[in-house]
Amino acid sequence: MPGPRPVCDPQDVTSEAARPPEAGAVPDLAALAKVVARQRAELDRLQETAATSVVLERAKGALMARTGCSLDAAHEELRQRAEDSRRTLLEECWITLGSLAPSGRTAVRPPRADAVTDRPPSPAPDGAGPDGEALARFARALVRVGGPQDLARCLLDHLPSGTGAEAVMIYTRLPVGGLELVGHAGVDDVLVEQWRRVPPLSGIAALDVLDSGEARWLENAQADRWRYQLIGEPAERWPTRAWLPVTDGARSADVAIGVFRHRAEPFAPDVRQHLLAAARLCAGPLRMFGIRQNPAIGADADAVRTVFERLPGTSVLLTPLRSPSGDVEDFRIDAATADTSDTVGRRGRELLGLRFRECWPGTAGEPLWQGCLDTLTSGQPYESEPFAQQHVVAGVGELATYSARVARLGDGLVLNWIRHAPSDRQEQRLADVQRLGNLGWANWHLVTGEVNWSSQVFAILDRDPAQGAVPLPQLSSLALPEDMPAVARAVTELMLEGRPCDVQFRIATRDGTRHLRVVAEAVPDNRGTPVEVHGFVQDITAQRSAELALVASERAILTQHGVLQAERTMAARLQDALLPLPKQPVQLSGLRVDIAYLPAQSGLNVGGDWFSAIELPDGDALFVVGDVAGHGVDAVAAMALLRFTAKGMVITGSSLTGALARLNALLLHSRDPQGTATMVLARYNPRERRLVWAQAGHPPPLLVRDGKARYLDRPFGMLLGATDTARYEESECRLAPGDRLVLYTDGLVERPSECIDRGLERLARAAVLPDGGGSDRLLGALLEPERRDDVCVLDIRVPQEDEHPAA
């Protein structure tokens, strides 16, 4: 029975005219002419059927857009209209598309009361609604689009100016996850290449739309960038954008359309309804383009296609394309071997994505087509009767015999054509398959003791063929001693009970240890006693090596995690011991001091920021805020060195500038260099309310007086540990009752995406707010959810004249 002609000349023949001619017979040219004429007629019929399907799908899309009904409901509505009007379905589709009304009139009558719809049309708020005339023009234009790229340009051209649309992008969900750009308009080529493939990541608006089935209206770029990855260079290129699901009302969306605008204003209700209606109109064309179909090969698409390309012979992998009623209309080719060709000469990868009946039109009424449908339904393989086929080799035609085989794979089919060639060629192809798969076949006859192995089995077992094959009971002797019991047990159950065998073991070879897999089954006699065993031996060394490497990597990760956890615990305890944080504000020299310390939210949560607030023996108060570069144990050690040394120097009578100079020398000339650090030293005399302070590369203190904030003028001072010629100066400030002085580290004001001046301005504004009272409120007003640095704050307040010192 004739099947598809994958390797034939365009002048193929049918079963009546393609049988091998008898010796001396003259070919029947009249019969060949009849075959060609019949095939041309069949091709014309198929083309007419395809055109009818296109018009039908677009008419259904128009009904869906105007009434909000589902795809099946739209089909039933068109069929009922045609029956009521005594017209054909095709005539009714053309009438529906051609009679779309201008604005103010409805071109498609609403569904009857007994018609089933999946959802009612959404009423427009306050009488607003989509532009009917624009939708009518768009629906009529859809009849002429030839692909998703044309669809994107058509959609952008037919959106009313009131929508403000500047660009359109159409994405489809990939079987492996993520998105693929299938159509675009108004977008430059650079941006298209950057966003052609989108991995399955969080924060992608189009993926969010497909997962939820609901539109996303992005109307605030500044706020939306925190939730989504915005397309554009820069993202503010399109201040507002809409992502719309393309769904037929009954299935989940597999296509999302993005509409981009230069307008920085929300989408009006009528604009939203118009865009949603236009997206529903796109469902029909996209369905016709096959965009929403997922291949039968699923997540391993690229791997399966690569395997098919490397296989000998002629085979294709087919995915069924179904009508709204569920019937199989055709199959799409998702993989093909390099030797496969259709009736017009397209080969291998050129066939991917094409329709089966488009490539081989002559199969429409043949048993092979019904065999494909039966296999898809029942799962039982189908094999055709041998048929003669004209095969062209080097421009010379020769007659060969073929048969077709169909097997189910997942939701699709594998169809291959077998050429009945001489036995030596079949043996060579079998040898190629064994070599590529690194496996070989084996057969043991349990009654006669005859053993047959393919040459690949000897190569896998590293055994000289002159030594002969190993009997089945002795197979376990090839394994390493620790694997022998498992192999012997599996072989015994196979020989005595007929239980299938699938066992893995190791052998020692000249190249090292190999991991093998043996799969075998028994053939019983009429009494159920196993009399023959056949199976295969496969080398899985590469797979096992990868598995063992993965296990070793996981163990190394767990070990490293334990080391990091131990370091985290040690550093946290050390910092808590070295830098205890008071739970309540403290009173020093008549001042009220509120202290806050927050570690970074990433890393070890242990950093180099520190503070000191003590009362000196002479009644003065000493305030220190510092920041050591880095995190972890080294930063904690440097922090402890500077904190205690600075206090000791000032207590023993050193001036502020002298203490900074000595600390700088300490960092530079210690045995283990401690890096760099910044610091502010301040000494307060309560009798004169005089504050003397010095700094080393640190932000200045903030003074709040009478509701106004200003930063103190910084005296000269170099970063600690930067140079051995550093110079430091002091500055003086008189405090008044009610004053507030804020000392802080740079983590309070610095953000990665801006300069520090903006952070200083933000701190000054927050400090003068009426509710900006304690350090906790100050931190809450300034800090981002994700901090990259530690924060340390000393909030110092001078009591009012009538305020109790302890208040």
Side-chain angles (χ1 to χ4, degrees), residues 17-364:
R19 296 189 180 92
E22 298 178 358
V26 178
D28 190 348
L29 297 180
L32 291 176
K34 291 180 181 179
V35 170
V36 173
R38 185 163 60 242
Q39 288 186 343
R40 287 178 177 174
E42 177 65 19
L43 182 58
D44 292 340
R45 187 187 67 79
L46 290 174
Q47 291 175 344
E48 181 180 354
T49 302
T52 302
S53 300
V54 171
V55 176
L56 174 61
E57 291 298 327
R58 288 168 180 168
K60 289 190 289 187
L63 268 179
M64 290 162 54
R66 301 304 297 273
T67 67
C69 65
S70 69
L71 186 66
D72 292 338
H75 186 275
E76 178 60 25
E77 173 69 13
L78 290 171
R79 189 196 63 77
Q80 188 62 44
R81 287 185 183 186
E83 181 179 332
D84 294 344
S85 304
R86 297 183 179 180
R87 289 190 287 261
T88 66
L89 182 60
L90 180 60
E91 290 173 340
E92 186 61 39
C93 290
W94 280 115
I95 291 174
T96 299
L97 291 173
S99 63
L100 291 174
S103 60
R105 292 189 293 138
T106 302
V108 181
R109 68 182 182 186
R112 302 179 312 279
D114 58 347
V116 179
T117 59
D118 292 307
R119 65 169 185 267
S122 301
D126 302 327
D131 186 339
E133 184 178 1
L135 285 176
R137 289 195 302 269
F138 180 47
R140 288 192 291 269
L142 285 178
V143 179
R144 296 183 296 274
V145 298
Q149 184 64 27
D150 289 344
L151 177 62
R153 286 193 294 265
C154 181
L155 175 59
L156 183 60
D157 292 343
H158 288 81
L159 286 176
S161 59
T163 62
E166 300 288 345
V168 168
M169 301 180 79
I170 302 177
Y171 278 99
T172 182
R173 192 196 299 269
L174 293 172
V176 296
L179 301 170
E180 181 177 14
L181 182 65
V182 296
H184 60 86
V187 185
D188 57 79
D189 293 339
V190 175
L191 202 60
V192 168
E193 288 303 319
Q194 291 175 346
W195 289 87
R196 186 173 299 279
R197 286 290 184 96
V198 180
L201 304 174
S202 60
I204 303 298
L207 275 174
D208 191 11
V209 167
L210 296 184
D211 292 337
S212 65
E214 299 177 355
R216 293 291 182 263
W217 309 96
L218 279 60
E219 301 170 329
N220 186 335
Q222 193 67 24
D224 294 333
R225 69 170 58 249
W226 292 103
R227 183 177 180 186
Y228 297 114
Q229 292 284 340
L230 299 183
I231 296 175
E233 293 295 340
E236 290 77 9
R237 173 180 178 182
W238 293 300
T240 57
R241 55 194 74 194
W243 285 100
L244 314 167
V246 179
T247 178
D248 55 20
R251 303 179 182 137
S252 61
D254 290 314
V255 179
I257 296 179
V259 178
F260 302 81
R261 311 192 309 172
H262 286 321
R263 297 182 181 179
E265 61 184 29
F267 289 87
D270 59 329
V271 173
R272 290 193 178 194
Q273 288 200 35
H274 188 96
L275 293 178
L276 290 171
R280 288 195 295 271
L281 274 174
C282 296
L286 287 172
R287 180 177 175 82
M288 289 303 302
F289 304 148
I291 296 298
R292 300 188 57 195
Q293 302 293 334
N294 290 327
I297 47 183
D300 298 323
D302 291 338
V304 172
R305 286 169 180 157
T306 301
V307 171
F308 264 69
E309 290 175 354
R310 296 179 180 177
L311 287 176
T314 54
S315 302
V316 292
L317 181 61
L318 304 175
T319 295
L321 303 177
R322 300 181 182 274
S323 66
S325 61
D327 297 329
V328 177
E329 296 178 334
D330 207 337
F331 293 88
R332 189 179 67 250
I333 302 173
D334 284 325
T337 59
D339 293 335
T340 304
S341 65
D342 67 352
T343 56
V344 296
R346 291 171 292 198
R347 306 180 66 88
R349 277 191 173 267
E350 296 176 350
L351 301 173
L352 301 186
L354 300 180
R355 306 296 177 94
F356 180 75
R357 295 165 89 173
E358 173 188 356
C359 298
W360 298 284
T363 61

Side-chain angles (χ1 to χ4, degrees), residues 278-524:
R280 288 195 295 271
L281 274 174
C282 296
L286 287 172
R287 180 177 175 82
M288 289 303 302
F289 304 148
I291 296 298
R292 300 188 57 195
Q293 302 293 334
N294 290 327
I297 47 183
D300 298 323
D302 291 338
V304 172
R305 286 169 180 157
T306 301
V307 171
F308 264 69
E309 290 175 354
R310 296 179 180 177
L311 287 176
T314 54
S315 302
V316 292
L317 181 61
L318 304 175
T319 295
L321 303 177
R322 300 181 182 274
S323 66
S325 61
D327 297 329
V328 177
E329 296 178 334
D330 207 337
F331 293 88
R332 189 179 67 250
I333 302 173
D334 284 325
T337 59
D339 293 335
T340 304
S341 65
D342 67 352
T343 56
V344 296
R346 291 171 292 198
R347 306 180 66 88
R349 277 191 173 267
E350 296 176 350
L351 301 173
L352 301 186
L354 300 180
R355 306 296 177 94
F356 180 75
R357 295 165 89 173
E358 173 188 356
C359 298
W360 298 284
T363 61
E366 295 183 352
L368 177 60
W369 177 259
Q370 188 59 44
C372 291
L373 299 180
D374 294 341
T375 299
L376 189 63
T377 303
S378 65
Q380 297 298 320
Y382 167 81
E383 182 170 355
S384 72
E385 296 291 335
F387 59 91
Q389 175 66 55
Q390 188 79 8
H391 182 59
V392 179
V393 179
V396 179
E398 64 178 19
L399 198 63
T401 303
Y402 291 86
S403 60
R405 294 179 181 176
V406 183
R408 185 166 178 172
L409 177 63
D411 295 330
L413 299 175
V414 176
L415 169 61
N416 64 300
W417 294 268
I418 300 95
R419 184 182 184 188
H420 298 279
S423 59
D424 55 344
R425 182 175 295 180
Q426 295 285 9
E427 290 292 336
Q428 181 59 45
R429 290 182 176 178
L430 179 59
D432 291 340
V433 172
Q434 294 181 80
R435 176 177 51 82
L436 291 173
N438 206 5
L439 56 83
W441 59 265
N443 183 271
W444 292 273
H445 201 289
L446 304 181
V447 178
T448 64
E450 181 182 0
V451 182
N452 291 310
W453 284 0
S454 68
S455 58
Q456 191 67 20
V457 173
F458 287 97
I460 292 173
L461 295 175
D462 195 24
R463 184 177 179 85
D464 187 353
Q467 296 177 334
V470 176
L472 186 59
Q474 300 177 19
L475 184 64
S476 60
S477 64
L478 302 176
L480 294 181
E482 51 267 35
D483 295 342
M484 286 183 181
V487 180
R489 182 169 56 255
V491 170
T492 300
E493 294 174 350
L494 175 65
M495 296 176 60
L496 298 181
E497 304 175 15
R499 184 177 300 176
C501 167
D502 188 345
V503 62
Q504 298 181 14
F505 59 93
R506 295 165 295 169
I507 64 171
T509 68
R510 290 168 293 183
D511 298 330
T513 301
R514 288 184 185 174
H515 295 263
L516 305 183
R517 178 191 181 198
V518 172
V519 178
E521 62 181 4
V523 178

Side-chain angles (χ1 to χ4, degrees), residues 574-595:
L574 178 61
Q575 189 178 47
D576 185 63
L578 298 177
L579 191 65
L581 184 67
K583 298 181 179 180
Q584 299 292 334
V586 297
Q587 303 293 330
L588 295 176
S589 302
L591 301 176
R592 183 179 183 272
V593 184
D594 194 1
I595 303 171

